[in-house]
Amino acid sequence: MAAATLSVVVRGVGLVGPGLVSWAAAQAVLQGRAALVRAATVVPPPQRLPAAERRRAGVAVKIAVAVADAACADAGADPQTLGSVFTSSSGDGANCHTLCETLASPNPADRLVSPTRFTNSVHNAPAGYWHIAVGSRAASTSLCAFDASFGAGLIAALTQVHAARVPLLLVASDTPYPEPLHTLRRLPDALGVALVLAPVPTGETPDDEPGTTLRVTLCPADQAPPETPCREAALEALRQQIPAARALPLLEALARGVAATVVIAATPPLVLVIEVVPA
């Protein structure tokens, strides 16, 4: 298979996870200047959502909206203009658990599913909440590739930026299942990461500002180096435990601001070989 390389520029980053309060607050850990102090994920209230929608939304929606908003703010981008790719390995585990409990009730009268539960059950619920909140009519893709969901989302985002030559928002997030599903799918906590990606500048317009470039090649796993681990042990534990955290080695390279090569799993048997080129 002939390998193809696509390039994009990173304009903004959003991050929330265990001990990772925000992209700015996580810089010292990602740069290797401080150790990660693991703590339960604190999801900031999604201010974009009206109060009624905030009450209806679960953690899966809230963390996706929070990191999307943070990445747009970091990029100085108008979210109303951005198309998006939302990816998650498991969707809203808590909502799935509640639906299963309701449908498994021995009493038929108790098996009625609320409209809110049904609305939040679809995989594109976070994308729907986000685009409604920011008033965007831009195209949106929601996908799932199990543990390779971040890599699959990055492929989708790359191809769309390359084809349309416009910036795009990529959001990857995961939240844990309650028991008994947690026993089968052990995600220890919620984590979300978002990137605003843009075409490589041509120098032809005032908007062509420099930024960190990602040159991404899709390769068969047997023709590429092994997946890149995180430099910090606690971050590496997160990378192995939460699918959206597969992005952490890339975030380490972005935070360090140095040239690097990062390998991230895509859908088997493929991997993404990412050359990080600082401005």
Side-chain angles (χ1 to χ4, degrees), residues 122-140:
V122 295
H123 198 70
N124 65 337
Y129 275 92
W130 169 254
H131 278 260
I132 291 171
V134 301
S136 172
R137 295 187 179 183
S140 181

Side-chain angles (χ1 to χ4, degrees), residues 168-195:
L168 181 137
L169 172 67
L170 169 63
V171 180
S173 59
D174 284 303
T175 56
Y177 284 105
E179 291 291 1
L181 294 174
H182 179 72
T183 298
L184 300 175
R185 180 66 169 157
R186 292 188 177 277
L187 303 183
D189 208 337
L191 184 141
V193 57
L195 301 172

Side-chain angles (χ1 to χ4, degrees), residues 2 28 34-36 63 96 103 107-108 120 122 137 162 171 175 185 220 227 254 263 272:
L36 175 66
I63 194 167
C96 177
L103 296 174
N107 184 355
N120 290 342
V122 295
R137 295 187 179 183
H162 181 76
V171 180
T175 56
R185 180 66 169 157
E227 286 187 70
L254 293 174
V263 180
L272 293 169

Side-chain angles (χ1 to χ4, degrees), residues 178-223:
E179 291 291 1
L181 294 174
H182 179 72
T183 298
L184 300 175
R185 180 66 169 157
R186 292 188 177 277
L187 303 183
D189 208 337
L191 184 141
V193 57
L195 301 172
V196 174
L197 303 174
V200 174
T202 62
E204 296 175 357
T205 71
D207 294 333
D208 282 349
E209 300 175 1
T212 299
T213 298
L214 307 182
R215 296 173 183 161
V216 185
T217 305
L218 186 63
C219 298
D222 61 0
Q223 298 178 22

Side-chain angles (χ1 to χ4, degrees), residues 53-64 87-100 116-127 129 143-144 173-178 181 185 187 190:
E53 298 303 320
R54 286 201 297 270
R55 288 192 296 270
R56 296 188 187 103
V59 174
V61 169
K62 291 178 179 177
I63 194 167
T87 180
S88 173
S89 74
S90 304
D92 190 337
N95 195 62
C96 177
H97 169 81
T98 301
L99 286 173
C100 290
T116 297
R117 289 292 176 195
F118 179 76
T119 297
N120 290 342
S121 70
V122 295
H123 198 70
N124 65 337
Y129 275 92
L143 57 84
C144 173
S173 59
D174 284 303
T175 56
Y177 284 105
L181 294 174
R185 180 66 169 157
L187 303 183

